[in-house]
Amino acid sequence: MTVDIRVIRDRLPREIADLESEARQEGHLHISRVIAGWSAGDLRFERDGERLLGAYVGKALAGIGGLTIEPTLSGALRMRRFYIRPEIRRHGIGRMLALALLDHARAFCSIVTVHAGNADAAKFWQALGFRLYERDGDTHCLEILPHIPSGRPHDVSG
């Protein structure tokens, strides 16, 4: 399975509606929040260090994940709006997406936080090296060492 990680900017991909529908069926509203925030102009992942990535398998959007400025911890970023389609979980796509975001984060901060919404998500983040944090709405954090990224994902303009 070939996975292509792309930067999402300018506009959300049309395929995000399918992700939203699947997430809602699972009881998750964070993709709806991405769409609402983007539409309102409140959250476009465009401040310093912020980024929204899409993981594509073929032409299909398999998942998304983003980084935003962490509002409760100076100089940190927060992993947000992370979602992988249920039928392709456990194939390493979420890991690839998270590692691409962490690689990007290294140029901007030394700490990344996340709020794991459930036990499976907590296990996922812990497998990536995040440790329990439980402060200011976050559940986990990761201290990262800075380095120069070796490659950049493709830009997506819609």
Side-chain angles (χ1 to χ4, degrees), residues 4 20 22 30 38 40 57 65 71 95-96 116 131-132 136 145-146:
D4 186 22
E20 179 188 24
E22 290 180 28
H30 51 291
W38 194 282
V57 175
R95 181 178 178 80
M96 288 175 64
R131 62 178 170 75
L132 284 174
D136 298 321
L145 298 174

Side-chain angles (χ1 to χ4, degrees), residues 37-104:
W38 194 282
S39 297
D42 297 335
L43 183 59
R44 292 275 177 99
F45 299 86
E46 56 193 6
R47 294 183 296 174
D48 225 15
E50 295 185 338
R51 179 160 277 187
L52 182 63
L53 298 179
Y56 286 79
V57 175
K59 292 184 179 185
L61 181 61
I64 66 166
L67 283 169
T68 60
I69 292 172
E70 171 57 69
T72 64
L73 186 60
S74 179
L77 292 171
R78 182 176 185 178
M79 200 71 76
R80 302 194 50 139
R81 310 304 187 228
F82 205 88
Y83 185 77
I84 304 296
R85 289 196 135 125
E87 71 271 9
I88 55 174
R89 290 181 189 151
R90 306 209 188 287
H91 287 96
I93 296 168
R95 181 178 178 80
M96 288 175 64
L97 190 58
L99 291 176
L101 287 165
L102 290 172
D103 190 48
H104 170 77

Side-chain angles (χ1 to χ4, degrees), residues 3-15:
V3 179
D4 186 22
I5 305 294
R6 302 177 194 166
V7 176
I8 298 171
R9 69 177 84 216
D10 300 328
R11 67 178 124 149
L12 293 174
R14 288 184 308 264
E15 306 91 347

